[in-house]
């Protein structure tokens, strides 16, 4: 019995009943806002967790003030409690009634509170014949017998509002009344129907609000009561001290500022509730009228099934519904459904139709009922808008089997880029298509289901995705979200990767364990993320990974042809002619594919061509005849593209570029090529500076005589420090510094430059403590929680009085403390936060002579003024004059997107590509 503790949403009991993990269920049994907690809640928890070392305010004064201001009542009329349940119990205990009048059916906790207080129950019958409306005559009869009446407004489980005039009349008759308005926030005309302001000035009237339903924060337990100040004083004396913890108080303050969230929720419900009610009726259920985010229905006898059997059939399919027969006054035919997001509601309807027919769950659904089926690093952020609205981030939701079909209304068309090999140019071609579609008026998004890369991108909400999808989002002109790259694998050592799910670390897996234990869960996450993107955008450009011809991986593939099938995506197969054997690449790949997979390939793209295309024409004709597929484009090699690379496979090319002879008027900057180098795009602007010669250094033999050295980020700081030490590079670094050379350490490089690195929880390696290089008086301790934030601020350079602007991002698992006072490099805050002094913190360190820098801020060299100041400092060491800023890196990057798009458009058959996507270009006269 799922409701053994009297409530819906009991996932622990559901696990025991149906043998699935809690995260496998899609929960229609509890009535939470499906958008999940507002974004401010996540930011608040990340910022204020250190304050848990202090006691909470015992009077919750700031929260009371926020409640009073939001509802236009005096602070003295507000009492904050540990959820509405505590306040219901507290009000009944304080009033000490002998008889309590309750609607039948209504929330069971009203009766439990009355029984605990020793009161008798007098029922107020609500009749199914008139839709469970609260009528005046039975209410007055009960009022004549009762010392107290407790009513839900709206009622649970019926969802019906009471007539406010009827309730006000009851109060005028001097019958004490407790009104539970737990769901009234969902009502569009909340101010007109709520009794909250009357309660503040009317003795004997108590209005209780739950904050957990509307703001989707049931885990913190938070509610409040509004009554006359004398009544509040009386209740407060009976309340347990510190009833409301600090986290609940912080969150309560934060959510009252979420006006856009509230308006969006009400807009969604106004559309979604009638849509779902109509379709439940179409299945043959009797659906009763209501005003909030749940629906009461009953099962006609003709189905031959009661609610308990229905609940079991649905639970076995991973969907929880509420057995409403447990509400007094309802029989075994009644069931209650929460209203959730459109694709979740479609999945409910699909499974419900089967369950009512007595059929088992047949066939594999398009996506399972949860976003994640392994222990989460952090709750998902389900700020989903229904189809047609804005979607700000990824969410925890399920989709029906139909949702992956392109014919499903509301889902955007897709186009997929796959390659015959890694580094064939998939990422760059996908980027080009993203920008082309944007130029042509499409609202387009990128998608890569699973990415393996040490080159990360931090999204505006502080999540980590692959750099390529962040770059592609920039090309689309949209903020990046984790839905664009829901699974990120970050190699830590041979055959072991950190698995990042929706932007937060899950755990480390070796290759076999990941494949055998997690790929099934990853598949569901991927499908759901793709559906959310397709619900939000006009088109989605999907990038594959590796090659679809890797026969050893095809049975559990979530990145290539199986994904193309889920998305019903036409596939462009890309081959790199620069590698040689381009026809063998394409023909061999096609031969390995199944007939169905070959049908999905709509054409070939030959990339990185150098030479006269007319000489290639006979080969192209042969290829088209041999495969029956058209060559849609031969893309000439585009030198000095000016866009970042996806992974370290491209670094060899950069090393060759760095091997060009250094001119006499150029500085020599060496970057350590660490074995587990990450976020190497930190140095991309240096390749564009005309007075800089940059090169990667792997060993002392390559050291030379650099003017400046950069120690970059790493996925495994300790192992790479050991490499620097054992290879002899550490002694060269120290010698370089002693000679007055410049040194910059970024993230892991910054950590290495300190005195000590500690790893008590074995987060990075099996070494508990190791000495650093010793150039900064710092100690770094590795912790399991990862900091990922976009940041903005200023740098104190060249002098502390200077304030050069800085933007970048942090992404690290270490926390660095200072053993002695130091000069800090930057003063920053999280991007998007208010520009207030208390929001800033210092980061990094600068040596006394200003020649050694360390910082956690990735992208530090993307800041034009600071980068030029640093380069000019190196020039000054050599006695060279300073140069003005010549490179505006962000502007050049935007121009590079347009240059790439124009280049690809000239050489790719875009008309045929648009035809594949079953939609003509906007502005071509098709409307």
């Amino acid at each position: 019995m799922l409701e053994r503790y009297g409530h819906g949403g009991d996932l622990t009991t559901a696990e025991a009943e149906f043998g699935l993990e809690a995260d496998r269920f899609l929960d229609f049994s509890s009535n939470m806002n499906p958008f999940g907690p507002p974004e401010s809640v996540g930011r608040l928890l990340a910022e204020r967790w250190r304050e848990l070392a202090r006691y909470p305010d015992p009077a919750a004064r700031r929260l009371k003030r926020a409640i009073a201001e939001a509802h236009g009542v005096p602070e003295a009329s507000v009492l904050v409690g540990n959820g509405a349940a505590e306040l219901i119990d507290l009000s009944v205990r304080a009033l000490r009634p002998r008889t309590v009048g309750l609607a039948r059916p209504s929330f069971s906790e009203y009766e439990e509170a009355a029984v605990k207080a020793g009161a008798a129950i007098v029922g107020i019958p609500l009749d199914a014949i008139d839709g469970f409306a609260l009528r005046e005559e039975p209410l007055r009869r009960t009022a004549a017998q009762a010392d107290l009446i407790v009513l839900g407004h709206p009622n649970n489980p019926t969802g019906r509002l009471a007539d406010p005039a009827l309730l006000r009349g009851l109060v005028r008759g001097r019958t004490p009344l407790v009104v539970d308005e737990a769901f009234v926030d969902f009502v569009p005309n909340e101010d007109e129907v709520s009794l909250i302001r009357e309660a503040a000035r009317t003795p004997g009237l108590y209005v209780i609000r739950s904050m957990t339903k509307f703001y989707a924060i049931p885990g913190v337990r938070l509610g409040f009561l509004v009554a006359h100040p004398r009544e509040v004083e009386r209740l407060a004396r009976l309340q347990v001290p510190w009833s409301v913890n600090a986290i609940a108080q912080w969150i309560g303050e934060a959510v009252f500022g979420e006006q856009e969230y509230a308006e969006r929720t009400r807009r969604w419900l106004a559309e979604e509730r009638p849509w779902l009610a109509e379709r439940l009726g179409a299945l043959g259920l009797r659906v009763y009228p209501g005003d909030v985010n749940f629906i009461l229905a009953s099962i006609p006898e003709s189905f031959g099934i009661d609610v308990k059997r229905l609940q079991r059939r649905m639970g076995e399919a991973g969907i929880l519904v509420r057995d409403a027969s447990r509400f007094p006054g309802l029989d075994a035919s009644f069931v209650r459904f929460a209203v959730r997001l459109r694709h979740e509601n479609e999945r409910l309807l699909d499974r419900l139709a089967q369950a009512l027919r007595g059929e088992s769950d047949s066939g594999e659904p398009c996506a399972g009922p949860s976003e994640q089926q392994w222990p989460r690093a952090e709750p998902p952020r389900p700020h989903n808008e229904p189809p047609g609205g804005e979607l700000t981030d990824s969410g925890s939701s399920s989709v029906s089997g139909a949702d992956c079909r392109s014919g499903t209304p509301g889902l955007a068309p897709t186009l997929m880029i796959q390659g015959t090999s890694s580094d064939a140019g998939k990422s760059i071609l996908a980027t080009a298509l993203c920008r082309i579609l944007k130029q042509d008026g499409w609202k387009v998004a990128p998608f890569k289901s699973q990415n393996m890369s040490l080159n990360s991108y931090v999204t505006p909400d502080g999540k980590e995705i692959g750099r390529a999808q962040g770059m592609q989002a920039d090309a689309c002109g949209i903020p990046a979200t984790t839905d664009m790259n829901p699974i990120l694998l970050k190699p830590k050592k041979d055959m072991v990767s950190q698995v990042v799910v929706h932007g937060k670390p899950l755990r480390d897996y070796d290759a076999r364990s990941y494949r055998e234990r997690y790929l099934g869960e990853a598949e569901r996450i991927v499908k759901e993320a793709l559906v959310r993107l397709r619900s939000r955008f006009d088109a989605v450009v999907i990038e594959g990974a590796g090659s679809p011809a890797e026969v050893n991986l095809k049975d559990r593939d979530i990145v290539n042809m199986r994904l193309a099938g889920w998305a019903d995506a036409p596939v462009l197969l890309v081959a790199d002619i620069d590698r040689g054997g381009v026809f063998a690449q394409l023909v061999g790949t096609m031969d390995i594919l199944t007939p169905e997979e070959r049908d999905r390939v709509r054409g070939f793209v030959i990339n990185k061509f150098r030479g006269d295309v007319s000489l290639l024409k006979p080969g192209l004709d042969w290829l088209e005849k041999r495969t029956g597929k058209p060559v849609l484009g031969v893309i000439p090699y585009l030198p000095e593209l000016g866009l970042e690379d996806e992974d370290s496979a491209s670094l060899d090319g950069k090393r060759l570029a760095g091997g060009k002879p250094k001119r006499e008027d150029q500085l020599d900057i060496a970057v350590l090529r660490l074995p587990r180098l990450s976020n190497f795009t930190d140095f991309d602007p240096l390749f564009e500076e005309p007075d800089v010669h940059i090169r990667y250094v792997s060993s002392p033999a390559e050291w030379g005589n650099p003017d400046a050295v950069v120690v970059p980020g790493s996925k495994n700081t300790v192992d790479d420090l050991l490499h620097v030490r054992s290879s002899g590079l550490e002694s060269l670094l120290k010698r370089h510094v002693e000679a007055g050379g410049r040194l910059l350490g970024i993230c892991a490089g910054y950590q290495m430059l300190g005195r000590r690195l500690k790893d008590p929880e074995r987060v990075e390696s099996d070494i508990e403590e190791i000495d650093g290089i010793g150039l900064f008086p710092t100690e770094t301790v590795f912790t399991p929680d990862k900091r990922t934030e976009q940041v903005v601020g200023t740098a104190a350079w060249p002098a502390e009085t200077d304030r050069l602007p800085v933007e970048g991002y942090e992404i690290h698992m270490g926390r660095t403390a200072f053993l002695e006072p130091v000069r800090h490099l930057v003063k920053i805050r999280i991007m998007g936060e208010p520009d207030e002094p208390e929001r800033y913190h210092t980061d990094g360190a600068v040596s006394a002579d200003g020649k050694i820098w360390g910082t956690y801020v990735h992208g530090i060299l993307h800041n034009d003024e600071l980068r030029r100041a640093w380069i000019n400092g190196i020039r000054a060491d050599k006695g060279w004059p300073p140069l003005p800023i010549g490179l505006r890196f962000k502007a050049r990057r935007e121009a590079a997107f347009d240059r790439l798009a124009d280049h690809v458009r000239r050489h790719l058959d875009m008309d045929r590509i648009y035809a594949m996507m079953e939609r003509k270009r906007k502005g071509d006269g098709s409307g």
Side-chain angles (χ1 to χ4, degrees), residues 723-742:
H723 166 78
V724 169
R725 185 159 289 158
S726 63
S727 67
L729 289 171
E730 180 182 22
S731 61
L732 290 173
L733 278 175
K734 290 181 175 179
R735 198 179 308 161
H736 171 77
V737 170
E738 290 167 1
R742 301 270 172 166

Side-chain angles (χ1 to χ4, degrees), residues 178 300 326 455 485 623 708 857 899:
V178 174
R326 293 184 52 79
N455 214 19
N485 177 211
L623 179 65
V857 178
R899 175 173 172 249

Side-chain angles (χ1 to χ4, degrees), residues 78-94:
V78 178
L79 179 68
V80 182
N82 186 350
E86 183 206 13
L87 297 168
I88 292 166
D89 183 79
L90 187 62
S91 57
V92 173
R93 278 195 294 119

Side-chain angles (χ1 to χ4, degrees), residues 3 7 77 80 90 176 433 497 524 532 790 798 808 810:
E3 294 84 2
H7 295 275
S77 292
V80 182
L90 187 62
L433 287 165
S497 291
R524 297 180 188 273
R532 284 191 294 269
Q790 290 189 356
E810 293 186 55

